[in-house]
PDB file of all heavy atoms in Angstrom:
ATOM      1  N   GLN A 217      -4.944  -4.111 145.103  1.00 67.00           N
ATOM      2  CA  GLN A 217      -3.904  -4.435 144.131  1.00 67.00           C
ATOM      3  C   GLN A 217      -3.452  -5.890 144.239  1.00 67.00           C
ATOM      4  O   GLN A 217      -2.706  -6.374 143.396  1.00 67.00           O
ATOM      5  CB  GLN A 217      -2.679  -3.514 144.330  1.00 67.00           C
ATOM      6  CG  GLN A 217      -2.961  -2.038 144.139  1.00 67.00           C
ATOM      7  CD  GLN A 217      -3.023  -1.649 142.666  1.00 67.00           C
ATOM      8  OE1 GLN A 217      -3.058  -2.508 141.790  1.00 67.00           O
ATOM      9  NE2 GLN A 217      -3.054  -0.350 142.391  1.00 67.00           N
ATOM     10  N   GLU A 218      -3.891  -6.575 145.291  1.00 69.00           N
ATOM     11  CA  GLU A 218      -3.452  -7.954 145.520  1.00 69.00           C
ATOM     12  C   GLU A 218      -4.599  -8.941 145.367  1.00 69.00           C
ATOM     13  O   GLU A 218      -4.520 -10.069 145.848  1.00 69.00           O
ATOM     14  CB  GLU A 218      -2.845  -8.058 146.926  1.00 69.00           C
ATOM     15  CG  GLU A 218      -1.693  -7.092 147.163  1.00 69.00           C
ATOM     16  CD  GLU A 218      -1.218  -7.104 148.604  1.00 69.00           C
ATOM     17  OE1 GLU A 218      -1.751  -7.929 149.392  1.00 69.00           O
ATOM     18  OE2 GLU A 218      -0.326  -6.312 148.950  1.00 69.00           O
ATOM     19  N   GLU A 219      -5.674  -8.532 144.680  1.00 77.00           N
ATOM     20  CA  GLU A 219      -6.868  -9.371 144.605  1.00 77.00           C
ATOM     21  C   GLU A 219      -6.901 -10.267 143.371  1.00 77.00           C
ATOM     22  O   GLU A 219      -7.982 -10.668 142.959  1.00 77.00           O
ATOM     23  CB  GLU A 219      -8.127  -8.483 144.624  1.00 77.00           C
ATOM     24  CG  GLU A 219      -8.434  -7.886 145.992  1.00 77.00           C
ATOM     25  CD  GLU A 219      -8.620  -8.963 147.053  1.00 77.00           C
ATOM     26  OE1 GLU A 219      -9.403  -9.895 146.823  1.00 77.00           O
ATOM     27  OE2 GLU A 219      -7.945  -8.878 148.097  1.00 77.00           O
ATOM     28  N   TYR A 220      -5.787 -10.581 142.794  1.00 78.00           N
ATOM     29  CA  TYR A 220      -5.807 -11.516 141.673  1.00 78.00           C
ATOM     30  C   TYR A 220      -5.335 -12.885 142.150  1.00 78.00           C
ATOM     31  O   TYR A 220      -4.588 -13.020 143.125  1.00 78.00           O
ATOM     32  CB  TYR A 220      -4.992 -10.999 140.489  1.00 78.00           C
ATOM     33  CG  TYR A 220      -3.524 -10.753 140.750  1.00 78.00           C
ATOM     34  CD1 TYR A 220      -2.575 -11.716 140.410  1.00 78.00           C
ATOM     35  CD2 TYR A 220      -3.070  -9.560 141.292  1.00 78.00           C
ATOM     36  CE1 TYR A 220      -1.222 -11.499 140.620  1.00 78.00           C
ATOM     37  CE2 TYR A 220      -1.724  -9.333 141.516  1.00 78.00           C
ATOM     38  CZ  TYR A 220      -0.806 -10.299 141.173  1.00 78.00           C
ATOM     39  OH  TYR A 220       0.533 -10.077 141.387  1.00 78.00           O
ATOM     40  N   LEU A 221      -5.789 -13.922 141.445  1.00 80.00           N
ATOM     41  CA  LEU A 221      -5.645 -15.293 141.930  1.00 80.00           C
ATOM     42  C   LEU A 221      -4.188 -15.726 142.061  1.00 80.00           C
ATOM     43  O   LEU A 221      -3.822 -16.412 143.013  1.00 80.00           O
ATOM     44  CB  LEU A 221      -6.393 -16.240 140.997  1.00 80.00           C
ATOM     45  CG  LEU A 221      -7.916 -16.108 141.007  1.00 80.00           C
ATOM     46  CD1 LEU A 221      -8.523 -16.911 139.863  1.00 80.00           C
ATOM     47  CD2 LEU A 221      -8.490 -16.555 142.331  1.00 80.00           C
ATOM     48  N   ALA A 222      -3.364 -15.376 141.094  1.00 81.00           N
ATOM     49  CA  ALA A 222      -1.978 -15.838 141.118  1.00 81.00           C
ATOM     50  C   ALA A 222      -1.253 -15.363 142.371  1.00 81.00           C
ATOM     51  O   ALA A 222      -0.378 -16.068 142.889  1.00 81.00           O
ATOM     52  CB  ALA A 222      -1.247 -15.355 139.864  1.00 81.00           C
ATOM     53  N   TRP A 223      -1.616 -14.184 142.883  1.00 79.00           N
ATOM     54  CA  TRP A 223      -0.960 -13.679 144.086  1.00 79.00           C
ATOM     55  C   TRP A 223      -1.588 -14.262 145.351  1.00 79.00           C
ATOM     56  O   TRP A 223      -0.887 -14.693 146.255  1.00 79.00           O
ATOM     57  CB  TRP A 223      -1.047 -12.150 144.114  1.00 79.00           C
ATOM     58  CG  TRP A 223      -0.484 -11.550 145.364  1.00 79.00           C
ATOM     59  CD1 TRP A 223      -1.182 -11.052 146.428  1.00 79.00           C
ATOM     60  CD2 TRP A 223       0.899 -11.411 145.693  1.00 79.00           C
ATOM     61  NE1 TRP A 223      -0.326 -10.603 147.392  1.00 79.00           N
ATOM     62  CE2 TRP A 223       0.965 -10.803 146.973  1.00 79.00           C
ATOM     63  CE3 TRP A 223       2.091 -11.725 145.043  1.00 79.00           C
ATOM     64  CZ2 TRP A 223       2.175 -10.520 147.601  1.00 79.00           C
ATOM     65  CZ3 TRP A 223       3.292 -11.446 145.664  1.00 79.00           C
ATOM     66  CH2 TRP A 223       3.321 -10.844 146.925  1.00 79.00           C
ATOM     67  N   ARG A 224      -2.921 -14.306 145.398  1.00 82.00           N
ATOM     68  CA  ARG A 224      -3.595 -14.811 146.590  1.00 82.00           C
ATOM     69  C   ARG A 224      -3.300 -16.283 146.843  1.00 82.00           C
ATOM     70  O   ARG A 224      -3.236 -16.725 147.991  1.00 82.00           O
ATOM     71  CB  ARG A 224      -5.104 -14.611 146.449  1.00 82.00           C
ATOM     72  CG  ARG A 224      -5.538 -13.172 146.696  1.00 82.00           C
ATOM     73  CD  ARG A 224      -6.897 -12.867 146.115  1.00 82.00           C
ATOM     74  NE  ARG A 224      -7.829 -13.971 146.284  1.00 82.00           N
ATOM     75  CZ  ARG A 224      -8.913 -14.137 145.544  1.00 82.00           C
ATOM     76  NH1 ARG A 224      -9.165 -13.289 144.564  1.00 82.00           N
ATOM     77  NH2 ARG A 224      -9.725 -15.135 145.761  1.00 82.00           N
ATOM     78  N   LEU A 225      -3.111 -17.055 145.768  1.00 81.00           N
ATOM     79  CA  LEU A 225      -2.876 -18.495 145.904  1.00 81.00           C
ATOM     80  C   LEU A 225      -1.425 -18.863 145.616  1.00 81.00           C
ATOM     81  O   LEU A 225      -1.136 -20.007 145.273  1.00 81.00           O
ATOM     82  CB  LEU A 225      -3.806 -19.259 144.946  1.00 81.00           C
ATOM     83  CG  LEU A 225      -5.304 -18.986 145.091  1.00 81.00           C
ATOM     84  CD1 LEU A 225      -6.086 -19.727 144.008  1.00 81.00           C
ATOM     85  CD2 LEU A 225      -5.804 -19.374 146.470  1.00 81.00           C
ATOM     86  N   ARG A 226      -0.522 -17.908 145.761  1.00 81.00           N
ATOM     87  CA  ARG A 226       0.867 -18.137 145.364  1.00 81.00           C
ATOM     88  C   ARG A 226       1.531 -19.241 146.173  1.00 81.00           C
ATOM     89  O   ARG A 226       2.478 -19.889 145.703  1.00 81.00           O
ATOM     90  CB  ARG A 226       1.669 -16.837 145.514  1.00 81.00           C
ATOM     91  CG  ARG A 226       1.719 -16.304 146.934  1.00 81.00           C
ATOM     92  CD  ARG A 226       2.276 -14.883 146.952  1.00 81.00           C
ATOM     93  NE  ARG A 226       2.364 -14.329 148.299  1.00 81.00           N
ATOM     94  CZ  ARG A 226       1.339 -13.812 148.963  1.00 81.00           C
ATOM     95  NH1 ARG A 226       0.126 -13.812 148.395  1.00 81.00           N
ATOM     96  NH2 ARG A 226       1.483 -13.317 150.171  1.00 81.00           N
ATOM     97  N   ASN A 227       1.059 -19.485 147.406  1.00 82.00           N
ATOM     98  CA  ASN A 227       1.646 -20.538 148.234  1.00 82.00           C
ATOM     99  C   ASN A 227       1.056 -21.913 147.960  1.00 82.00           C
ATOM    100  O   ASN A 227       1.526 -22.909 148.518  1.00 82.00           O
ATOM    101  CB  ASN A 227       1.463 -20.195 149.718  1.00 82.00           C
ATOM    102  CG  ASN A 227       2.213 -18.934 150.117  1.00 82.00           C
ATOM    103  OD1 ASN A 227       3.301 -18.674 149.604  1.00 82.00           O
ATOM    104  ND2 ASN A 227       1.630 -18.143 151.004  1.00 82.00           N
ATOM    105  N   GLU A 228       0.014 -21.964 147.123  1.00 82.00           N
ATOM    106  CA  GLU A 228      -0.648 -23.237 146.847  1.00 82.00           C
ATOM    107  C   GLU A 228      -0.471 -23.693 145.405  1.00 82.00           C
ATOM    108  O   GLU A 228      -0.331 -24.897 145.150  1.00 82.00           O
ATOM    109  CB  GLU A 228      -2.147 -23.113 147.163  1.00 82.00           C
ATOM    110  CG  GLU A 228      -2.456 -22.803 148.614  1.00 82.00           C
ATOM    111  CD  GLU A 228      -3.945 -22.701 148.870  1.00 82.00           C
ATOM    112  OE1 GLU A 228      -4.586 -23.745 149.095  1.00 82.00           O
ATOM    113  OE2 GLU A 228      -4.465 -21.568 148.837  1.00 82.00           O
ATOM    114  N   VAL A 229      -0.485 -22.763 144.454  1.00 83.00           N
ATOM    115  CA  VAL A 229      -0.409 -23.139 143.041  1.00 83.00           C
ATOM    116  C   VAL A 229       0.388 -22.102 142.267  1.00 83.00           C
ATOM    117  O   VAL A 229       0.594 -20.972 142.727  1.00 83.00           O
ATOM    118  CB  VAL A 229      -1.828 -23.252 142.401  1.00 83.00           C
ATOM    119  CG1 VAL A 229      -2.662 -24.312 143.084  1.00 83.00           C
ATOM    120  CG2 VAL A 229      -2.534 -21.906 142.428  1.00 83.00           C
ATOM    121  N   GLN A 230       0.817 -22.511 141.080  1.00 84.00           N
ATOM    122  CA  GLN A 230       1.340 -21.588 140.073  1.00 84.00           C
ATOM    123  C   GLN A 230       0.370 -21.579 138.896  1.00 84.00           C
ATOM    124  O   GLN A 230      -0.051 -22.638 138.436  1.00 84.00           O
ATOM    125  CB  GLN A 230       2.718 -22.035 139.579  1.00 84.00           C
ATOM    126  CG  GLN A 230       3.815 -21.961 140.622  1.00 84.00           C
ATOM    127  CD  GLN A 230       5.157 -22.300 140.007  1.00 84.00           C
ATOM    128  OE1 GLN A 230       5.785 -21.490 139.341  1.00 84.00           O
ATOM    129  NE2 GLN A 230       5.611 -23.527 140.228  1.00 84.00           N
TER     130      GLN A 230
END
Side-chain angles (χ1 to χ4, degrees):
Q217 299 281 11
E218 303 173 4
E219 286 302 309
Y220 60 97
L221 292 170
W223 176 257
R224 283 160 39 201
L225 304 176
R226 61 192 181 280
N227 296 325
E228 298 180 85
V229 299
Q230 293 185 79

